């Protein structure tokens, strides 16, 4: 460990997969990392939802990203380490496509054509594990409200949304795409943390990244869906549903009683946009979510697949989660060397877990380069 590395102090904003990977890679090289996330725990869109039914039975749903695949060598090296540690496993499931117009399954994808990986025992296990490594100080329930570049000290000063001083840092890695977006104001009523008027070079890239909203429906049944021959399928010709996955069929989900099945369905972006246009950008009410759950479930039943009444049903809104473009160019991240600021995430590379990991690897490498760390993460 060089003294430069030991002295370096990095703030990471966001404990989704990009932030978690950056934190883990830098801490592994002896860099002091403080990670901030407004949520209660790590995961972002790789979150797992825990729900307790009236009889006390616990249900868990990967209500964001259902699984991921890997084609890039840099990402494969990182993922290989996760597999060796047992925090991910291969999900050997058969997938298909369901056509709403014909009522038939088509395009059965055989196992092994592309390995599908899942976190064990939940998708959030990956982020949780990375955020709890030595050298990472994770602070949850903290929203960064202000990021000030102190030119004379060549460092960043961060403050929380409620004005608390969060400290000074040599480098900042922002993995939340609304850090400089007007959408931050829509959610909090405050200006975004990063004032882009001070960073004209960045402003073209990051001010407002278009996104695809989505609603997730978490639903559990007391018996398997007898007429569904696969564990995951996409929808053709459905106005409101885009895909469905049998969550309880994933490896490591041992807590589900033998016959019970839990499923996660995602809406189309068009359906979600229509709902959000009606109810506004802030957190939807319980009633609004119940109405969404009913509508999406009715569409599931309308498939003619003999979908029984569920024993549990709840909707969740992903308001601005899924990016519609990638802004990172060949770098797969945005790097401003003069202010020691990295912006990374799937919105810099490609809208997938693999894209998020690749962007994080590239972002961490930029900082390593400045600290004269050996590269080859």
């Amino acid at each position: 460990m060089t003294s430069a590395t030991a002295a370096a102090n990095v703030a990471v904003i966001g404990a989704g997969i990009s932030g978690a990977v950056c934190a883990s890679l830098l801490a592994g090289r002896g860099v002091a990392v403080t990670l901030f996330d407004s949520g209660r725990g790590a995961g972002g869109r790789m979150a797992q939802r825990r729900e307790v039914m009236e009889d006390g039975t616990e249900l868990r749903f990967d209500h964001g990203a259902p699984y991921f695949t890997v084609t890039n060598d840099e990402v494969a090296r990182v993922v290989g380490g996760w597999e060796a540690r047992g925090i991910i496993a291969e999900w050997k499931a058969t997938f298909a496509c369901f056509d709403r117009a014909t009522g038939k399954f088509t395009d059965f994808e055989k196992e092994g054509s592309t390995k599908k990986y899942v976190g064990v025992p939940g998708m959030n296990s990956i982020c949780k594990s990375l955020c709890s490594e030595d050298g990472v100080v994770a602070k949850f329930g903290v929203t960064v409200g202000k990021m000030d570049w102190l030119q004379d000290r060549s460092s960043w000063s961060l403050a929380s949304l409620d004005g608390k001083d969060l400290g000074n840092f040599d480098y900042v890695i922002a993995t939340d795409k609304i850090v400089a977006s007007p959408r931050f104001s829509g959610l909090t009523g405050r200006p975004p943390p990063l004032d882009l008027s001070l960073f004209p070079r960045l402003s073209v890239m990051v001010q407002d990244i278009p996104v695809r909203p989505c609603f997730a429906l978490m639903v559990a049944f007391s018996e398997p869906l007898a007429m569904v021959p696969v564990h995951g399928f996409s929808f053709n010709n459905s106005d409101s549903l885009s895909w469905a996955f049998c969550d309880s069929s994933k490896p490591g989900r041992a807590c589900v009683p033998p016959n019970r099945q839990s499923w996660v369905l995602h809406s189309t972006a068009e359906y979600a946009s229509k709902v959000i246009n009606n109810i506004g950008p802030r957190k939807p009410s319980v009633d609004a979510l119940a109405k969404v759950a009913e509508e999406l479930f009715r569409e599931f039943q309308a498939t003619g697949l003999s979908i029984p009444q569920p024993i549990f049903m709840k909707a969740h809104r992903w308001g601005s989660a899924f990016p519609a473009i990638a802004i990172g160019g060949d770098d797969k991240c945005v790097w401003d060397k003069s202010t020691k600021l990295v912006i990374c995430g799937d919105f810099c590379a490609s809208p997938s877990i693999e894209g998020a990991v690749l962007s994080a690897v590239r972002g961490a490498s930029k900082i390593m380069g400045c600290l004269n760390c050996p590269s080859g993460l």
Side-chain angles (χ1 to χ4, degrees):
M1 186 194 303
T2 66
S3 56
T5 318
N9 175 5
V10 178
V12 178
I13 301 171
I17 190 65
S18 286
V21 169
C22 283
S24 161
L25 291 173
L26 289 167
R29 296 298 170 89
V31 177
V33 177
T34 308
L35 186 137
F36 300 100
D37 194 280
S38 53
R40 284 175 302 186
R45 272 162 292 152
M46 292 174 73
Q48 190 185 57
R49 186 76 160 261
R50 176 177 166 271
E51 295 285 350
V52 180
M53 290 172 55
E54 283 172 11
D55 66 0
T57 311
E58 189 175 272
L59 297 168
R60 288 175 187 259
F61 299 92
D62 292 330
H63 61 312
Y67 67 94
F68 66 98
T69 58
V70 177
T71 55
N72 175 282
D73 289 344
E74 291 168 74
V75 176
R77 280 198 291 277
V78 173
V79 168
W82 300 345
E83 199 168 14
R85 287 162 58 181
I87 55 175
I88 62 167
E90 188 185 348
W91 184 20
K92 296 181 175 177
T94 307
F95 286 9
C97 176
F98 179 80
D99 195 315
R100 261 295 261 120
T102 62
K104 290 191 165 59
F105 284 98
T106 59
D107 299 332
F108 285 85
E109 184 196 314
K110 297 291 179 281
E111 286 177 35
S113 53
T114 317
K115 277 190 174 183
K116 301 171 186 71
Y117 293 103
V118 297
V120 179
M123 285 302 281
N124 62 345
S125 308
I126 304 166
C127 296
K128 277 167 77 171
S129 178
L130 298 176
C131 290
S132 58
E133 287 178 359
D134 287 349
V136 180
V137 176
K139 299 192 173 183
F140 296 108
V142 178
T143 301
V144 174
K146 203 151 175 21
M147 300 166 57
D148 290 315
W149 170 245
L150 309 175
Q151 184 70 50
D152 54 333
R153 297 164 94 180
S154 188
S155 70
W156 287 91
S157 167
L158 301 189
S160 66
L161 199 56
D162 54 7
K164 287 199 183 73
D165 177 23
L166 298 175
N168 283 26
F169 300 90
D170 302 317
Y171 295 83
V172 170
I173 298 174
T175 67
D176 187 338
K177 64 185 156 310
I178 67 168
V179 76
S181 161
R183 266 198 302 277
F184 185 89
S185 309
L187 294 168
T188 63
R190 303 281 185 84
L194 189 64
D195 180 355
L196 282 177
S197 64
L198 306 174
F199 304 95
R201 203 181 73 75
L202 292 180
S203 65
V204 189
M205 303 175 88
V206 296
Q207 55 195 344
D208 206 12
I209 295 154
V211 291
R212 300 184 198 284
C214 169
F215 282 93
L217 177 66
M218 299 167 277
V219 59
F221 302 98
S222 57
E223 67 221 38
L225 304 184
M227 284 183 68
V228 179
V230 289
H231 286 140
F233 59 94
S234 58
F235 287 87
N236 254 356
N237 298 312
S238 169
D239 291 336
S240 53
L241 287 176
S242 62
W243 53 253
F245 290 103
C246 181
D247 219 42
S248 48
S249 70
K250 294 175 181 176
R253 272 57 173 181
C255 51
V256 177
N259 285 327
R260 186 171 289 170
Q261 272 193 351
S262 49
W263 285 73
V264 173
L265 291 80
H266 270 203
S267 76
T268 60
E270 293 73 25
Y271 169 84
S273 297
K274 200 170 65 186
V275 173
I276 290 169
N277 285 343
N278 286 336
I279 66 174
R282 288 181 187 251
K283 197 175 175 182
S285 67
V286 173
D287 288 350
L289 284 174
K291 185 167 178 277
V292 166
E294 279 298 332
E295 287 177 357
L296 293 177
F297 188 71
R298 272 205 304 277
E299 175 69 1
F300 196 27
Q301 284 192 309
T303 54
L305 293 169
S306 299
I307 307 296
Q309 275 306 303
I311 53 172
F312 174 88
M313 182 167 84
K314 197 178 230 183
H316 171 85
R317 187 196 68 171
W318 294 107
S320 60
F322 302 93
I325 58 165
I327 62 166
D330 290 342
D331 274 356
K332 309 295 183 193
C333 67
V334 176
W335 165 234
D336 190 55
K337 193 172 184 178
S338 61
T339 57
K340 303 192 289 188
L341 171 68
V342 175
I343 296 172
C344 62
D346 59 353
F347 56 92
C348 292
S350 64
S352 62
I353 291 174
E354 179 172 35
V357 175
L358 178 60
S359 185
V361 170
R362 296 288 182 84
S365 294
K366 296 288 185 193
I367 293 177
M368 297 289 196
C370 287
L371 297 173
N372 300 320
C373 282
S375 57
L377 288 170

